[in-house]
Amino acid sequence: MERFRPNVTVAAVIAHADRYLLVEEETPEGLMLNNPAGHLEQGESPVEAVVREALEETARHFVPEAFLGVYLARFVRPARAEDVTYVRLAFSGTVGEEIAGRALDEGIHRTLWMSETELAACTHRHRSPLVLQCVRDHAAGRRLPLDTVYTHPSLAQPWVKR
């Protein structure tokens, strides 16, 4: 049996004045809404990854303040006949103003601010069911300390067992 290998992603849940910063991105299923999010890269801590992804997708510096949780979802992509499970590490925090002249990541059409109600009214446009769940958890007050997610130094310098 082949070993199960879920995709590990990070997501930034950013709120201001009861609205959430989202990205509208091109996917194989069309133009979809997502929290600023992306894949964890080799040698990168989850906090480093979410700061990088938020900057790439929103052209804003993200400052993580809390860990929201670990989220899992399974998705079947008909266009590619893929069956993928995602493990999402979600963080909440704040952003500054958009950096003038900084381009958004390839595939990101725009950023937009939406209320939880507006987001709930368009679930057919969500990249995954985790988009709304993360927003709802944030709105409900879920906050865990950032150090809930521990990153061992071996990420930068691999541990060699002798």
Side-chain angles (χ1 to χ4, degrees):
M1 177 181 256
E2 188 176 329
R3 186 170 168 210
F4 176 57
R5 298 183 190 274
N7 288 289
V8 179
T9 63
V10 294
V13 179
I14 302 157
H16 179 72
D18 294 327
R19 299 181 82 71
Y20 289 87
L21 182 60
L22 300 164
V23 296
E24 188 175 55
E25 61 185 329
E26 192 61 48
T27 74
E29 294 72 43
L31 211 51
M32 298 288 179
L33 297 171
N34 200 2
N35 313 102
H39 292 269
L40 183 65
E41 294 180 0
Q42 178 73 28
E44 185 176 52
S45 76
V47 169
E48 291 168 338
V50 75
V51 168
R52 175 186 52 77
E53 286 290 350
L55 177 62
E56 290 173 356
E57 294 193 356
T58 69
R60 297 167 185 260
H61 290 290
F62 175 64
V63 178
E65 296 174 344
F67 181 59
L68 285 180
V70 178
Y71 300 80
L72 282 85
R74 189 171 172 192
F75 180 67
V76 176
R77 178 172 281 128
R80 297 183 185 160
E82 290 178 301
D83 184 347
V84 183
T85 297
Y86 290 96
V87 176
R88 173 186 271 206
L89 305 172
F91 297 84
S92 64
T94 58
V95 290
E97 292 298 315
E98 191 171 344
I99 300 168
R102 182 172 176 104
L104 300 177
D105 210 4
E106 185 177 334
I108 304 295
H109 284 251
R110 65 181 175 139
T111 62
L112 60 157
W113 293 91
M114 296 178 75
S115 70
E116 179 185 355
T117 303
E118 291 168 333
L119 190 60
C122 63
T123 56
H124 64 283
R125 294 201 56 222
H126 295 186
R127 178 115 193 227
S128 91
L130 301 179
V131 175
L132 183 57
Q133 186 61 53
C134 287
V135 165
R136 284 186 168 152
D137 287 347
H138 180 273
R142 177 180 286 173
R143 308 287 189 281
L144 299 167
L146 283 175
D147 64 4
T148 301
V149 180
Y150 173 74
T151 301
H152 190 270
S154 63
L155 222 55
Q157 184 65 37
W159 181 55
V160 179
K161 187 164 179 142
R162 297 191 169 124

